[in-house]
Amino acid sequence: MKFYGDARLKRLVLHLDAVRSNAPGKAIDVLRVGLWFEVIRVQMDCTTAYGLGLLVQPHTYKKGFHHHNLWAKYAAGRHLPSADTRCACEQRIPGSNELLTSPAWVALDITTPLEKHGDTLLRCLRPSIQSAVFEKRELAKGCYVRRDSIGLSLRCLEGQADLQSLAAMVVLLRDADARGDRSKAFMIGQSLHRTLLMAAVGSPLKFISLELLEYFIRIIFPMAAEKEFMMDLDRDMLCKQAKWLMRTVEQMHAAGRPGFTLNGNTGQLRRLLQLDFGFDLLFGLGPRLKLIVTAEKAKPSVCTHVTGHNALCDWGRSVLSAGKCERIPPSHTS
């Protein structure tokens, strides 16, 4: 298969570097048309944009018929498909139009107003997402009341890591950020990091992982900062972590461990990002931290926490990079 991720990444970065008010929306368009194109291409088993266009709309490739090679533009995230093109694809791949029109894209666009603290956006997502965020008893009555426990909501969302669960977390993060609740914002950011990794290996989002990771690093994760520190994220490292996670899942599956699969519910998958299977996975697949104030202004306890946490992360990454398994860190990293 020809790889179009670099072209989409370049386009996305071009939009974000422009620093215009509509930049996030333009970047979202790159993501959604990229996902739409890649899912259709995989399901129709085509290697190139030209081949996919020839298969879906053969009349536009007839000799003497002038066309603008729009499918190459779709592949690169440069152009949104017309209604006719979307209809032609929907006939071949039912459900493909939802990849473009999902309300999750609206929720991921940070320029969309947070009406009723984001509840309006959350109510547009599927029932299982709403059940994770809102009280089930109240939902049964047609009322939308947030759960008291944000931790429980995040665990439920992590268990169904995909486009809509990520969108719901982003809404919760934006709400916490707007309220100035730094501790909650950081907690949501950590959960979002885990969910993003799982979605990048276990959902169709894996086809646009490069672009998606870049968008989250630039636009979303800065809102998840604590008062004195934040996650220190790098796209290349996130890509490596996704590969390590996928390799671990494959090993678990080959060993006959039930529930470990790259498709479907991620309830078991998230255990690899907790402490259930060792500190090497917990820290190796987790984010490093960095101070956002000078060391002189930071509390000594915060400096100690950041330094100790990063030492464990570096150890975990070295273990996973070498393909080893060391559940307990050596004493000098503690």
Side-chain angles (χ1 to χ4, degrees), residues 247-264:
R247 182 186 65 194
T248 304
V249 172
E250 291 171 346
Q251 291 171 344
M252 292 289 184
H253 181 71
R257 300 296 290 263
F260 285 98
T261 173
L262 290 178
N263 298 301

Side-chain angles (χ1 to χ4, degrees), residues 169-232:
M169 285 184 172
V170 169
V171 172
L172 296 177
L173 173 59
R174 289 180 61 196
D175 186 32
D177 180 52
R179 294 172 184 265
D181 192 335
R182 304 305 341 143
S183 295
K184 181 180 285 188
F186 184 73
M187 178 194 301
I188 296 170
Q190 289 180 302
S191 182
L192 192 55
H193 181 275
R194 293 190 290 269
T195 307
L196 186 60
L197 277 182
M198 290 187 287
V201 301
S203 81
L205 292 175
K206 63 188 175 184
F207 300 127
I208 58 166
S209 59
L210 271 180
E211 314 92 281
L212 188 68
L213 294 174
E214 185 70 18
Y215 181 80
F216 270 75
I217 289 173
R218 284 180 174 238
I219 302 298
I220 305 300
F221 283 117
M223 293 185 288
E226 263 279 10
K227 292 180 179 179
E228 296 180 82
F229 63 89
M230 66 183 295
M231 289 179 283
D232 186 10

Side-chain angles (χ1 to χ4, degrees), residues 3-225:
F3 183 64
Y4 295 98
D6 287 338
R8 290 191 295 268
L9 178 63
K10 183 178 180 180
R11 189 73 180 174
L12 181 140
V13 169
L14 186 66
H15 286 310
L16 296 182
D17 282 348
V19 197
R20 298 191 182 99
S21 59
N22 64 345
K26 291 290 187 181
I28 289 293
D29 284 344
V30 174
L31 294 174
R32 65 192 184 104
V33 74
L35 181 63
W36 172 83
F37 167 82
E38 292 294 356
V39 169
I40 293 174
R41 177 166 71 136
V42 167
Q43 293 200 25
M44 297 193 71
D45 195 25
C46 290
T47 58
T48 65
Y50 180 87
L52 183 56
L54 189 62
L55 191 61
V56 176
Q57 295 175 307
H59 62 282
T60 65
Y61 289 81
K62 289 181 180 179
K63 188 175 182 180
F65 188 94
H66 180 70
H67 67 87
H68 299 284
N69 198 18
L70 286 177
W71 282 91
K73 293 181 180 179
Y74 302 151
R78 296 177 57 196
H79 194 79
L80 289 172
S82 66
D84 288 343
T85 300
R86 288 157 51 184
C87 183
C89 291
E90 184 68 20
Q91 290 178 353
R92 295 220 176 213
I93 309 294
S96 60
N97 196 50
E98 167 68 12
L99 298 169
L100 277 171
T101 62
S102 171
W105 296 120
V106 180
L108 287 173
D109 184 353
I110 63 169
T111 63
T112 304
L114 279 182
E115 297 178 10
K116 297 181 180 179
H117 300 289
D119 284 0
T120 301
L121 291 171
L122 292 169
R123 289 172 62 173
C124 295
L125 303 177
R126 66 172 180 265
S128 64
I129 298 294
Q130 294 182 31
S131 295
V133 178
F134 299 112
E135 292 286 354
K136 291 186 178 180
R137 290 184 179 180
E138 296 299 324
L139 274 176
K141 302 175 187 176
C143 301
Y144 294 86
V145 179
R146 295 271 184 99
R147 286 187 173 189
D148 291 332
S149 173
I150 184 67
L152 181 58
S153 291
L154 294 175
R155 287 194 295 274
C156 291
L157 292 172
E158 287 180 30
Q160 43 186 322
D162 64 5
L163 177 62
Q164 290 210 11
S165 65
L166 286 171
M169 285 184 172
V170 169
V171 172
L172 296 177
L173 173 59
R174 289 180 61 196
D175 186 32
D177 180 52
R179 294 172 184 265
D181 192 335
R182 304 305 341 143
S183 295
K184 181 180 285 188
F186 184 73
M187 178 194 301
I188 296 170
Q190 289 180 302
S191 182
L192 192 55
H193 181 275
R194 293 190 290 269
T195 307
L196 186 60
L197 277 182
M198 290 187 287
V201 301
S203 81
L205 292 175
K206 63 188 175 184
F207 300 127
I208 58 166
S209 59
L210 271 180
E211 314 92 281
L212 188 68
L213 294 174
E214 185 70 18
Y215 181 80
F216 270 75
I217 289 173
R218 284 180 174 238
I219 302 298
I220 305 300
F221 283 117
M223 293 185 288

